[in-house]
Amino acid sequence: MMDGDVSGQANAVPHAIQQPSANETLYIQNLNENIKLPVLKQSLEALFSTYGKVLSVIAHSNVRMRGQAFVSFKSSEIATKAMQEVNGFPLYGKAMRITYAKSKSDSVVKHLGGPDGEHALEKHKAQRLEKKPITRRRNILREREMQRKRKAAEIGVPVDSIESKSNSLARVQANQLPDEYLPPNKLLFLQHIPTTTTRESLQSLFGNYPNLVEVRTIPGRSDIAFVEYSDIPSGVQAREATNGYAMPNGERIKVSYARA
């Protein structure tokens, strides 16, 4: 399934309800979506090849499969050891979630088929094609995407301008949340900054905490600014240390996580 079509795993039943059995292929979630696909695949292969030969690393850039990948080995024993030791490893700042894939990848089918590997692979692909229409009809995400396309066609606008219901709801909820309850972010939002405060003084203050990227002031608005760190843990540390910090004139700045 993985080398040619990964749609089945995206609709997997939650792990607590249905855990796939041992497999030569691992299903990896929660990968950093900001990392370019070739770099991500190279990193995964380098990491997992320490446990045995990696037959294939499959990842796609489409919206439905972002942040996910499949890594295949020669045996389920190797896959199991890799899963046990790598699950939770923070690759590019995000802890990977790893389970067994629901079915064998093309590369595994070919490998296990030995001399008849090509024949086994062709049979495997044929079986997958037979199941594909059923799988797609059950794909909720695909149906939502089709609804967006139909709506865009009806009103004559680009598909990208039609926001999905889930994204729209998440945005509304985020905008309704008080600053104190926003989720952690590497980008901080500063408020109540004294008008006499310079960008350099903010740079000095927030530079006391690791991995500062930049301080961005807003032209015409001296009372607010943004401070960006290279990762979320650094942003959390800086926010906890500086929220309520008393400036030289006694005024306390408010530091919250930026809204998505």
Side-chain angles (χ1 to χ4, degrees), residues 28 41-52 54 73 82 86 89-91 96 98:
I28 306 171
K41 292 172 71 173
Q42 289 173 4
S43 300
L44 288 171
E45 183 168 6
L47 174 62
F48 284 100
S49 63
T50 59
Y51 295 91
V54 173
F73 301 90
V86 181
F89 178 82
L91 183 64
M96 293 184 288
I98 307 175

Side-chain angles (χ1 to χ4, degrees), residues 98-115:
I98 307 175
T99 58
Y100 295 113
K102 293 180 66 178
S103 62
K104 298 183 186 297
S105 70
D106 289 358
S107 59
V108 170
V109 171
K110 184 176 180 180
H111 170 73
L112 295 180

Side-chain angles (χ1 to χ4, degrees), residues 5-202:
D5 182 3
V6 293
S7 59
Q9 193 77 30
N11 300 318
V13 178
H15 303 157
I17 300 175
Q18 179 182 354
Q19 173 69 12
S21 57
N23 193 333
E24 295 85 358
T25 300
L26 299 180
Y27 173 46
I28 306 171
Q29 297 173 280
N30 201 42
L31 292 169
N32 192 327
E33 298 178 17
N34 295 320
I35 305 302
K36 292 184 177 179
L37 205 57
V39 175
L40 181 62
K41 292 172 71 173
Q42 289 173 4
S43 300
L44 288 171
E45 183 168 6
L47 174 62
F48 284 100
S49 63
T50 59
Y51 295 91
K53 180 175 175 57
V54 173
L55 297 179
S56 63
V57 177
I58 306 302
H60 297 287
S61 59
N62 62 68
V63 174
R64 185 164 54 87
M65 293 306 300
R66 284 177 188 167
Q68 304 170 65
F70 295 85
V71 177
S72 298
F73 301 90
K74 287 186 174 181
S75 70
S76 59
E77 290 77 16
I78 297 175
T80 298
K81 181 175 176 59
M83 178 176 67
Q84 292 172 344
E85 297 189 10
V86 181
N87 190 31
F89 178 82
L91 183 64
Y92 295 113
K94 297 191 70 173
M96 293 184 288
R97 296 197 301 269
I98 307 175
T99 58
Y100 295 113
K102 293 180 66 178
S103 62
K104 298 183 186 297
S105 70
D106 289 358
S107 59
V108 170
V109 171
K110 184 176 180 180
H111 170 73
L112 295 180
D116 295 325
E118 289 292 347
H119 177 71
L121 179 57
E122 290 304 316
K123 183 178 179 181
H124 176 69
K125 287 181 177 180
Q127 292 173 341
R128 184 172 66 220
L129 287 174
E130 289 178 3
K131 297 178 181 178
K132 199 168 187 177
I134 299 174
T135 302
R136 284 192 168 182
R137 283 198 296 271
R138 295 173 180 173
N139 188 338
I140 296 175
L141 293 178
R142 182 174 180 273
E143 177 57 29
R144 289 175 179 170
E145 182 63 19
M146 292 299 294
Q147 289 176 356
R148 288 179 64 217
K149 290 180 178 179
R150 286 195 292 268
K151 183 176 181 181
E154 288 173 0
I155 61 179
V157 299
V159 175
D160 292 342
S161 67
I162 305 296
E163 189 172 33
S164 67
K165 290 183 179 179
S166 58
N167 288 343
S168 178
L169 178 60
R171 192 178 301 278
V172 170
Q173 291 175 335
N175 288 332
Q176 291 176 341
L177 283 175
D179 291 344
E180 292 75 12
Y181 297 100
L182 290 171
N185 195 331
K186 65 180 181 179
L187 185 64
L188 305 180
F189 178 47
L190 279 54
Q191 302 175 75
H192 310 319
I193 303 173
T195 56
T196 56
T197 305
T198 63
R199 179 180 178 279
E200 288 70 26
S201 61
L202 291 176

